[in-house]
Amino acid sequence: MKAVVYEKPYSVAVRDVDDPRIEHPNDVIVRVTSSAICGSDLHMYEGRTAAEPGIVFGHENLGVVEETGPGVVALSKGDRVVMPFNVACGFCKNCLAGDTGFCLTVNPGFAGGAYGYVAMGPYPGGQAERLRVPFADFNCLKLPAGEEFETDFVLLADIFPTGYHGCELAEVSPGESVAVYGAGPVGLMSAYSALLRGAAKVFVVDRVLERLAKAEEIGAIPIDFSKDDAVRQILDRTGGEGTDKGIDAVGYQAQGREAGHEEPAVVLNSLVDTVRPTGRLGVPGLYVPSDPGAPDEHAKRGQLLVSIGRMFEKGQRMGTGQCNVKRYNRQLRDLIIAGRARPSFVVSHELPLDQAPQAYEKFDKRVEGYTKVVLHPALAA
């Protein structure tokens, strides 16, 4: 089958790879109809991880069940399904507690597994024509048959639940003010989720004009930090008090006002300054214990200079960690079906699988309006 394969930093290719096969009675094989490119994929694409050449990318996957293992009981051939990016067993201590992003079974020696991602287990990604799904009864979320809501439903694999998770970590409530740092896909989903949860005022901080325009389209307040300090802009708009809640949707490759200059802790420290005393911080943005490309030796070991004294002084609380997608995906699916949510507003491009190399390059450079790309393996190039 055809699949998107990592070659070296800033290079992916569409190659022929082995077809997946049933390896366990509870496996299914899914014919992929949509697979999105995630900002997390760019960390590997840029060579900022230990990803080895040959890994098949893709952890945001939707498709149709093509084959089932003999132990599968809840799924049938022809079912349309979307899979959380988390690969989870459903029966370990963490899965039973709902913390499926930290499964103790699927990736021995590490809490958590995922498709097509470095150090997240032996699971090829779904930017391909087919995908093996382990523990399929647990991991597959059924969708209505057909093609309706395709680009909405594929976002249930990661960024829509992850954005919502940011709001959960920050405990966003109706009537509150929220600052979201980062207007990439997860940042936009965080802002959208805050508005769905009834936030009265949502600020979105970025410097990419197309992304800020998307934020404004959904009713958020765009803050261009290339023009003036973001903290100052938000404090001016909140009477000097700051926001009730804050969300970091950027992570460890955060940049300061000088384009191209990384400051890994700048968003965390900006949130401490932006959010009022006793406010809550949610951090769905990715941070890693090892970053070979970091700007200093401490950051290379995942150690950042965060203003913990100021945070303590203000009595703030912080929640972190990757999203437990299954905690939210059914409810968010039903909001889509009911017409209450349309997360696909973030999708800028739908392309054939063969155009993945160009899509990665443009998405990485934030050019030509690339905010979110969905690949469709069945489309002709």
Side-chain angles (χ1 to χ4, degrees), residues 45-62:
Y45 174 75
E46 294 172 356
R48 294 295 290 269
T49 71
E52 295 286 341
I55 185 174
V56 175
F57 283 173
H59 57 265
E60 299 183 60
N61 307 309
L62 180 154

Side-chain angles (χ1 to χ4, degrees), residues 36 58 60 85 125-126 133 150 216-217 221 230 235 244-245 248 256 273 284 290 343 363:
E60 299 183 60
F85 76 88
V133 180
E150 183 82 4
E216 191 168 26
E217 283 176 17
I221 301 165
L235 290 177
D244 299 302
K245 305 294 168 62
D248 174 359
D273 289 337
S290 176
F363 185 34

Side-chain angles (χ1 to χ4, degrees), residues 42-256:
L42 297 182
H43 299 309
M44 295 186 291
Y45 174 75
E46 294 172 356
R48 294 295 290 269
T49 71
E52 295 286 341
I55 185 174
V56 175
F57 283 173
H59 57 265
E60 299 183 60
N61 307 309
L62 180 154
V64 176
V65 175
E66 198 169 69
E67 183 181 357
T68 62
V72 174
V73 297
L75 300 166
S76 302
K77 182 178 179 180
D79 283 344
R80 186 187 187 202
V81 292
V82 63
M83 284 66 64
F85 76 88
N86 321 114
V87 180
C89 70
F91 53 77
C92 73
K93 183 177 183 179
N94 282 347
C95 284
L96 289 172
D99 296 322
T100 56
F102 301 87
C103 177
L104 301 172
T105 302
V106 298
N107 190 12
F110 190 87
Y115 302 97
Y117 209 85
V118 61
M120 297 298 282
Y123 307 102
Q127 289 172 17
E129 293 177 311
R130 289 174 181 81
L131 177 72
R132 179 178 78 93
V133 180
F135 302 104
D137 284 324
F138 185 70
N139 286 310
C140 290
L141 176 67
K142 286 187 182 180
L143 302 169
E147 299 179 358
E148 191 175 15
F149 306 127
E150 183 82 4
T151 51
D152 291 299
F153 285 150
V154 73
L155 302 184
L156 292 171
D158 184 352
I159 65 165
F160 192 14
T162 295
Y164 198 88
H165 182 58
C167 292
E168 279 284 295
L169 292 171
E171 301 179 12
V172 173
S173 299
E176 292 188 318
S177 58
V178 183
V180 178
Y181 278 75
V186 170
L188 290 170
M189 288 296 99
S190 296
Y192 190 54
S193 296
L195 292 165
L196 285 173
R197 290 165 69 104
K201 189 178 293 186
V202 179
F203 301 96
V204 178
V205 180
D206 208 296
R207 64 151 60 95
V208 180
L209 296 181
E210 293 92 342
R211 291 180 169 186
L212 290 171
K214 287 278 188 183
E216 191 168 26
E217 283 176 17
I218 62 171
I221 301 165
I223 300 292
D224 184 347
F225 75 92
S226 69
K227 292 183 176 179
D228 191 13
D229 178 69
V231 175
R232 182 161 50 246
Q233 291 186 64
I234 294 172
L235 290 177
D236 286 347
R237 289 166 170 79
T238 56
E241 180 182 86
T243 60
D244 299 302
K245 305 294 168 62
I247 297 171
D248 174 359
V250 180
Y252 74 105
Q253 286 187 261
Q255 296 187 2

Side-chain angles (χ1 to χ4, degrees), residues 251-283:
Y252 74 105
Q253 286 187 261
Q255 296 187 2
R257 289 185 65 188
E258 182 183 339
H261 176 64
E262 288 192 11
E263 297 180 30
V266 67
V267 169
L268 293 172
N269 287 323
S270 294
L271 278 177
V272 170
D273 289 337
T274 300
V275 175
R276 66 173 175 81
T278 73
R280 302 290 185 267
L281 316 180
V283 186

